[in-house]
Amino acid sequence: MIPTLDDLSVDGTTIGVRVDVNSPLADDGSLADDARILAHVDTLSELLSRGGRVAILAHQGRPGGSSFSGLSPHADRLDELLDFPVSYCDGNFSKEARDAIGALENGEAVLLENTRFYSEEYMEFDPEVAGQTALVDRLVPVLDAYVNDAFAAAHRSQPSLVGFPTRLPAYAGRVMEREIDVLGDIESAPTPRVYAVGGAKVNDSIDVAESVLERGLADTVLTTGVVGNVFLIAKGVELGKASSEFILDEGYWDEVDRAGRLLDAYGDKIILPRDVAVERNGERAEIPIADLPAAPDEPALDIGSRTVDLYGDIMANAGTVILNGPAGVFEMEQFAVGTKGLYNAATKAKNSIVGGGDTAAALRRLGIEGFTHVSTGGGAALKMLTGESLPAIEVLRT
Ligand code: 3PG
C-alpha cells in the first residue's frame, strides 16, 4: 500500500515535498512553460490549507546542460499561483536553508535551491544509502514528514527521491497518486487496448511496443512518426533516401531489425501507415505507400490523411487508447496534421491516456484537450508503461 495525503495529519507540521518542476527555459533564464509547476498546485495548496509548513525540493536541468539553473523563477511562479506565500532560499540543506524551514508559519512554503546543485543528488543510490547523504541527513531533523509528488522523476533513485522515506513517514502527493492509479493499473484498463507509438525517440517507443505486445496488454499497436517509418522499412517498403538516411544518421538502424522481429511475432496486431506526408519544396505532399519511394530529397515528416482516418476508426472502437509520442514533426504547421488528427480522434475514445514528455508538449502547442489522463512524466511514464518498477514509488510502499 502507498500512503497518500489522506493518511497524513498536516496541521502545524513541517513537510518536505519533492516536486518535479523541471521546465523548459527561455534564453534569458525565465520559464518558457509552467505546465509542470501548475501540476503541483493541488498538492501544495492542500498541504498549506490544511495548516502545513512546506519545504519544497526540486531539480532543474542536468549538471552541464543548458537548462541547469537555480529555482528562483519557479518560486516566483508558485507564489503567484498559490493563495499562500512561497519564498525562495538559495541553499538546499545549508544552515540558511534549515533556518528558513524552521521559520515557516502554518500555511507558508519555501522553495529550496535546485537539489542537483549538490553533486550527490545527481548520483543513483540504494534508498538506505541515499538516506545517509548530507542532503537527507541535514534536512530530516527539521521535517516531520515527506511527500513525494515528483512522478516525472520517480525513475531516478537520487537522494531527494528515495532517501527521505527511509528516515521519515512518507506519502504520495496527489500527482503521484493519480499517475500510479492510472499508469500502474494498465492491466485493468478497458479493452480493446490500442497503443499509438510515435515520436523521434524510436528506441523508447519500440521498447513500449515490444513490452505491451509481449505482456499481452495491447490488442493493437498503431505506428506513427519516425517509429512508423522504421516499421515500414522493416516491412520492406522503400521510403526514399532522405527518410532512410535520417534513421541511419540518428543511429536507429538496429531498430529496423527489432521492428522486423516484432512484425514476425505480432504482425496481426501491428498496423503500419497507409500513406506518408513528405516535404516537397517546403510544402506537404501526401504519398500512398504503394507509390513510394519518395524523391531522394523528400523526407517523410508526418503520417498522411488516409492513415489518420484508418487509425481514427480503430481508436473509435477501443476501450482504451494509450498515446506515446507525436505522429510527425508537429512543430512545422504543415506536418502537424497527423498529430492533430490522431490526438483529436483519441480524445473521442472512452478512455484516453497520454504519456511521454514530447507528447504533453505537443498537446499544449496544438491546444488539444479532453484526454482522460495526461501524464506529467516523460521517461517515468514510459518506464511505467513497460511494466518496470520505479524506485521512488517502490520506496513509498508500506
Ligand atoms: C524529466 O524531465 O523527465 C524529469 O524531470 C527527470 O529529469 P532527468 O531525466 O534529468 O532525470
Side-chain angles (χ1 to χ4, degrees):
M1 187 204 114
I2 296 180
T4 69
L5 300 192
D6 297 333
D7 304 298
L8 172 62
S9 327
V10 179
D11 196 23
T13 64
T14 307
I15 302 157
V17 183
R18 178 58 159 100
V19 295
D20 189 331
V21 292
N22 189 21
S23 305
L25 301 180
D27 289 345
D28 64 357
S30 62
L31 292 166
D33 183 285
D34 64 358
R36 280 202 166 155
I37 299 179
L38 278 163
H40 294 291
V41 164
D42 284 352
T43 296
L44 295 170
S45 294
E46 177 174 343
L47 290 170
L48 292 163
S49 63
R50 287 169 61 186
R53 306 164 180 214
V54 175
I56 309 169
L57 293 132
H59 73 276
Q60 171 63 50
R62 296 175 175 178
S66 58
S67 65
F68 186 54
S69 74
L71 296 179
S72 164
H74 308 63
D76 290 345
R77 188 71 188 119
L78 277 171
D79 191 48
E80 282 163 15
L81 288 168
L82 296 171
D83 291 331
F84 301 89
V86 181
S87 57
Y88 165 68
C89 173
D90 67 359
N92 48 33
F93 59 87
S94 57
K95 181 170 183 313
E96 191 197 5
R98 285 175 282 138
D99 286 349
I101 297 171
L104 290 171
E105 300 285 346
N106 293 2
E108 287 181 2
V110 58
L111 175 62
L112 304 176
E113 188 50 284
N114 185 347
T115 51
R116 289 184 181 173
F117 280 12
Y118 161 60
S119 59
E120 276 184 311
E121 178 68 6
Y122 202 56
M123 295 159 76
E124 308 258 328
F125 296 93
D126 283 339
E128 291 296 334
V129 180
Q132 301 308 319
T133 56
L135 178 124
V136 177
D137 198 51
R138 304 269 163 78
L139 289 179
V140 160
V142 291
L143 300 174
D144 299 305
Y146 169 80
V147 169
N148 193 345
D149 211 26
F151 171 76
H155 53 316
R156 308 286 178 213
S157 50
Q158 293 158 350
S160 71
L161 291 153
V162 298
F164 289 101
T166 67
R167 309 273 306 266
L168 289 170
Y171 306 82
R174 295 302 182 200
V175 171
M176 183 70 94
E177 187 185 350
R178 178 145 168 75
E179 297 271 16
I180 295 171
D181 277 354
V182 178
L183 300 179
D185 199 20
I186 289 288
E187 290 88 347
S188 316
T191 55
R193 281 183 220 112
V194 175
Y195 282 75
V197 294
K201 290 182 185 157
V202 173
N203 47 347
D204 287 352
S205 291
I206 295 187
D207 281 350
V208 173
E210 186 171 33
S211 163
V212 295
L213 286 163
E214 279 174 358
R215 291 162 64 216
L217 288 175
D219 295 290
T220 306
V221 171
L222 309 175
T223 61
T224 74
V226 188
V227 180
N229 294 351
V230 166
F231 272 92
L232 286 169
I233 295 173
K235 186 87 181 169
V237 173
E238 272 192 56
L239 277 176
K241 189 166 176 275
S243 300
S244 303
E245 275 185 3
F246 175 81
I247 290 165
L248 199 61
D249 292 350
E250 293 294 307
Y252 289 138
W253 204 258
D254 288 351
E255 300 300 326
V256 175
D257 293 339
R258 198 147 68 110
R261 286 196 294 278
L262 287 178
L263 285 171
D264 288 343
Y266 306 102
D268 54 331
K269 294 188 169 175
I270 303 173
I271 314 291
L272 272 47
R274 295 287 188 267
D275 54 356
V276 294
V278 297
E279 183 172 29
R280 183 175 296 156
N281 304 323
E283 300 294 321
R284 175 187 181 92
E286 298 200 351
I287 309 182
I289 297 305
D291 295 345
L292 287 167
D297 59 344
E298 293 182 349
L301 300 183
D302 194 11
I303 53 174
S305 320
R306 292 185 204 188
T307 307
V308 173
D309 291 346
L310 171 72
Y311 287 5
D313 289 345
I314 295 172
M315 290 192 293
N317 294 310
T320 306
V321 173
I322 297 145
L323 287 170
N324 161 46
V329 184
F330 69 91
E331 295 87 347
M332 295 165 77
E333 207 186 330
Q334 66 274 43
F335 299 108
V337 174
T339 304
K340 267 191 207 158
L342 196 72
Y343 285 15
N344 274 320
T347 61
K348 314 258 172 354
K350 285 185 215 90
N351 194 21
S352 51
I353 299 168
V354 189
D358 292 353
T359 318
L363 290 182
R364 280 196 299 278
R365 194 181 173 114
L366 302 174
I368 300 171
E369 290 179 351
F371 287 92
T372 315
H373 181 73
V374 179
S375 177
T376 52
L382 292 181
K383 278 230 158 98
M384 198 117 169
L385 287 172
T386 54
E388 275 187 58
S389 59
L390 307 189
I393 294 179
E394 289 316 305
V395 78
L396 293 175
R397 288 190 202 283
T398 55

